[in-house]
Amino acid sequence: MSLDLTAYIRDIPDFPKPGILFKDITPLLADPAALKAAVHALADPYRDANLVSVAAIESRGFIFAAAVALELGCGFVPLRKPNKLPAATTSATYELEYGTDTIEVHVDAIHPGDRVAIIDDVIATGGTAAAAVELVETLGGNLVGISFLIDLAFLGGTAKIGNYPVHSVITYN
């Protein structure tokens, strides 16, 4: 019997600002069976993909991607906020509602031809995910697909990440 993971997602109204209904994953993280089911579901599309690594977006994406990497027997590549990585990096900047933000990756984290999947907790408007795709492409990685625990489909974020296969465990329309 599979777990209904939506039962472990808590709605927090007006966070981080009025009018936003935040999907809180901390109850899912606190439950071992739900966390295990989420990791399995995120890893499923890549079981036979011969990945070299999974890349994850700071910070909640790290929680899931590290576990997915262990499950699939591949490496983990952190995509971080600026000035958090100690060696040479490349970056991608993306639009926010009011301004821009940037994520970075070590230039030697992904090699040309490496089979890579991107893992994140939530896709909303898609800016961060599009920047992650740009980083993998810039380094010459072969992006196999992108998996999200939650897709807030009503915000249209997956339209910003190109024609890569997208897998979402939970979708809110």
Side-chain angles (χ1 to χ4, degrees), residues 49-169:
N50 298 312
L51 295 181
V52 172
S53 59
V54 294
I57 301 162
E58 186 172 353
S59 65
R60 290 180 308 243
F62 287 7
I63 297 165
F64 296 103
V68 168
L70 286 173
E71 184 159 324
L72 297 177
C74 65
F76 169 76
V77 175
L79 307 176
R80 302 221 45 202
K81 293 177 167 94
N83 304 311
K84 300 288 185 181
L85 294 169
T89 62
T90 189
S91 65
T93 299
Y94 57 98
E95 296 292 320
L96 298 170
E97 187 176 354
Y98 300 104
T100 61
D101 208 347
T102 301
I103 56 174
E104 297 180 337
V105 64
H106 279 140
V107 295
D108 62 355
I110 298 170
H111 300 97
D114 281 0
R115 295 177 58 79
V116 179
I118 295 172
I119 307 288
D120 203 7
D121 66 324
V122 175
I123 183 163
T125 59
T128 311
V133 168
E134 181 182 334
L135 289 176
V136 172
E137 289 175 340
T138 296
L139 295 177
N142 176 7
L143 185 56
V144 174
I146 308 165
S147 286
F148 302 98
L149 177 64
I150 297 172
D151 179 2
L152 302 177
F154 58 91
L155 294 175
T158 59
K160 291 186 180 173
I161 54 178
N163 293 321
Y164 295 105
V166 174
H167 170 71
S168 301
V169 178

